[in-house]
Amino acid sequence: MASIREAIDDAAERVAFCGVVRIDQPDGSTWAAAYGDADRAHGIANTTDTIFGLASGGKGFTALTVASLIEDGTLGFDTTARSILGDDLPLIADDVTVELLLAHRSGIGDYLDEEEWDVTDVVMPVSVHRLVEMEDFVGILDGFPMTFPPDERFAYCNGGFVVLAVLAERAAGTPYRELVRSRVCEPAGLTDTGFLRSDELPGRAALGYLDEGPRTNIFHLPVFGSPDGGIYSTAGDIRSMWMALFDGRIVGPETLAAMVRPRSDVPEDRRRYGLGFWLHETSDVVMLVGYDAGASFRSAHDPTSSRTRTVISNQTEIAWDMNDALDDLIGPM
């Protein structure tokens, strides 16, 4: 293991990795290491317990929250967005359902088109400090026509997950972030996972950096993490989430099976997609992936062996570079 540790250290230095790598083995053993700084201005180093933004990794938490509401009958996979939205967001087709939103097959227009998006651009149409509650997002979701008929094909859609949170909050009569806490974080025992204001980060949270310099992401993202990305967590809590999920403590086995059943092949990413989770192109491995201004994240879990590999960074894209390096060193996951 010492030689593997040295090889991973060398890889981290080679890609200028800033963040945490954690590998949980089937025998219960864990290897974890931290690199770079959580706060560069003050020279505060990352540790294996540092709290990081997960970027789009947070979509999994939104999906599980919605799935929990489906289990108790508050929502259904076949619930239409229109039945809850009423006259809001009139360009969303009447036959767009919760299931299609979860699967990125809804066809709704996206407020953040990643194909035309430079991750370091300031793209929010309103000042980010105004985006706090879910209803604050409704205005920026409006005005985007359908891009294709519902269920025609897969198209990754950030706005779809914000719509899901609006539906969940209205249907349950409970704020979205409270739903995530009570229905996902508490059952899974996640003590270091939640939504943090970027202008009030606690001491253990890493600042997000746009590149290798000192500039942070504070003007680039909603001040509070949103349903399509931005929840904070640790590598240890992510491992706990996977274990709780496949142990039936968040949703039941039938619901979980529905979420990890492939709905779409995504050959350009060499993956498949279920409901809120990326899936390996051939195996049972389930993944959460995130990439945003000042954050990058990839966690893969094999439910057949209970092996987990998590790479999480407070720098744009760099976690993916480190994950590629690990693929070369110890094999892909």
Side-chain angles (χ1 to χ4, degrees):
M1 190 65 183
S3 60
I4 292 295
R5 181 187 296 269
E6 291 170 359
I8 294 175
D9 287 345
D10 289 344
E13 183 175 2
R14 184 170 65 253
V15 304
F17 179 64
C18 182
V20 169
V21 175
R22 176 171 167 141
I23 301 170
D24 294 275
Q25 300 287 16
D27 63 4
S29 63
T30 297
W31 181 88
Y35 304 89
D37 285 340
D39 183 336
R40 294 174 183 174
H42 298 93
I44 300 172
N46 282 320
T47 73
T48 55
D49 292 325
T50 293
I51 300 169
F52 295 89
L54 301 187
S56 286
K59 287 185 173 70
F61 289 82
T62 299
L64 289 172
T65 299
V66 171
S68 174
L69 291 170
I70 290 171
E71 284 196 327
D72 71 14
T74 302
L75 291 171
F77 283 122
D78 60 352
T79 298
T80 63
R82 180 61 50 220
S83 67
I84 297 174
L85 290 175
D87 294 333
D88 290 336
L89 306 180
L91 298 183
I92 293 179
D94 290 347
D95 50 347
V96 168
T97 64
V98 165
E99 183 171 9
L100 294 179
L101 290 165
L102 286 167
H104 294 287
R105 298 183 65 90
S106 69
I108 71 170
D110 200 353
Y111 81 102
L112 179 59
D113 184 352
E114 294 197 3
E115 292 187 3
E116 300 183 4
W117 170 59
D118 186 325
V119 70
T120 59
D121 286 344
V122 177
V123 297
M124 289 298 171
V126 301
S127 179
V128 294
H129 78 276
R130 297 183 182 274
L131 297 173
V132 178
E133 305 301 337
M134 290 308 100
E135 296 297 331
D136 298 335
F137 286 84
V138 174
I140 68 171
L141 296 171
D142 201 5
F144 297 94
M146 297 288 295
T147 58
F148 55 84
D151 207 24
E152 179 182 85
R153 58 185 172 87
F154 175 92
Y156 193 83
C157 182
N158 289 285
F161 273 69
V162 185
V163 172
L164 282 167
V166 173
L167 301 181
E169 187 171 284
R170 291 185 180 184
T174 302
Y176 160 75
R177 296 183 183 94
E178 171 60 23
L179 290 171
V180 176
R181 184 191 64 78
S182 63
R183 291 175 175 267
V184 182
C185 297
E186 286 187 353
L190 309 184
T191 58
D192 289 322
T193 301
F195 295 93
L196 306 176
R197 284 187 64 106
S198 62
D199 56 358
E200 294 178 355
L201 290 179
R204 282 180 53 210
L207 300 177
Y209 292 94
L210 303 183
D211 49 34
E212 295 183 20
R215 193 157 59 102
T216 73
N217 62 358
I218 192 167
F219 296 120
H220 291 254
L221 304 173
V223 70
F224 251 133
S226 54
D228 55 340
I231 197 169
Y232 280 75
S233 191
T234 63
D237 261 14
I238 296 302
R239 167 65 173 180
S240 296
M241 183 278 296
W242 288 124
M243 298 303 288
L245 178 58
F246 284 92
D247 194 36
R249 285 181 277 138
I250 302 176
V251 294
E254 291 186 7
T255 302
L256 176 59
M259 299 184 78
V260 300
R261 176 171 65 84
R263 307 303 175 97
S264 302
D265 291 316
V266 190
E268 62 270 27
D269 290 321
R270 297 172 57 191
R271 293 193 290 261
R272 299 175 292 175
Y273 202 84
L275 300 179
F277 292 90
W278 289 98
L279 311 171
H280 191 276
E281 58 185 337
T282 58
S283 75
D284 293 331
V285 169
V286 183
M287 292 170 277
L288 288 176
V289 178
Y291 165 52
D292 217 331
S296 50
F297 164 74
R298 185 183 186 279
S299 184
H301 179 75
D302 184 350
T304 61
S305 68
S306 293
R307 185 182 182 218
T308 302
R309 187 168 88 194
T310 298
V311 184
I312 184 170
S313 175
N314 55 323
Q315 187 176 322
T316 302
E317 200 170 8
I318 200 69
W320 290 12
D321 295 340
M322 187 62 189
N323 189 73
D324 290 344
L326 292 174
D327 285 349
D328 294 337
L329 286 173
I330 58 179
M333 186 175 179

